[in-house]
Amino acid sequence: MRPTDPVAQHADHDIAVLPAELTPAEAKALLTGTGVVVADDGGVLGTVTAADLAGADADTLAVWQGLPPAIEVDADLSLADLVNSPAVTLLLLGVPRLVLLRDGTPVAVLAVPRVSDYLASGDHPLPDHEMGPGAPADSALPGRVRLASAQVACAECGHRNALDYWNPRRPPRCANPDRPPHDLTLEG
């Protein structure tokens, strides 16, 4: 794996996009590999496999509390850009897969161990913040690149929160507008 490789180059593109209104049994019947659960508004709620759904007892995937958080990553983001961003802290959420998006649509999933393997390989360069003579003339990335974000359900109220980074010692406040302010809590 090279630092300039796009994350999509190392991903599984054989996915099923599952509407959140499916029951776990209906979703399980459609799966042959990994499914990406998508809400009515197109937002990614999580990823599942048939094994994940074996014990699910919710009415729909949208309300299933066992749905792992979804970490969304731009499919064209390079490996180095992903691991050098604050978004790498989202891996602390313990998700098994990253959801790769292109133009807001899920196109693939990337197993988190692939990111860990890249970091352990020694191929990852240290961030370069060189300034002064000889520094690159343009330090901005071309085009618009979307860093990773996660969709995480609060264990206290079930509201799905969008996160750009995760610090388990200082969890953010839950964004549920219908409940009094409280810290975002995760199960487990």
Side-chain angles (χ1 to χ4, degrees), residues 61-168:
L61 294 175
V63 297
W64 181 40
Q65 290 292 317
L67 185 66
I71 297 179
E72 303 170 351
V73 177
D74 186 311
D76 298 319
L77 192 66
S78 73
L79 288 165
D81 288 337
L82 173 64
V83 300
N84 285 337
S85 74
V88 77
T89 64
L90 297 173
L91 299 180
L92 295 172
L93 294 170
V95 299
R97 299 166 282 282
L98 305 176
V99 178
L100 306 186
L101 302 176
R102 190 168 281 124
D103 297 325
T105 304
V107 294
V109 292
L110 177 67
V112 168
R114 297 296 307 257
V115 177
S116 302
D117 291 347
Y118 166 69
L119 286 170
S121 72
D123 293 334
H124 177 63
L126 295 174
D128 183 16
H129 298 291
E130 183 179 341
M131 299 295 283
D138 182 10
S139 62
L141 294 171
R144 183 176 176 168
V145 176
R146 183 174 172 262
L147 293 178
S149 64
Q151 298 294 320
V152 182
C154 177
E156 183 177 323
C157 69
H159 181 75
R160 285 211 148 333
N161 292 264
L163 300 178
D164 294 324
Y165 66 92
W166 176 251
N167 180 346

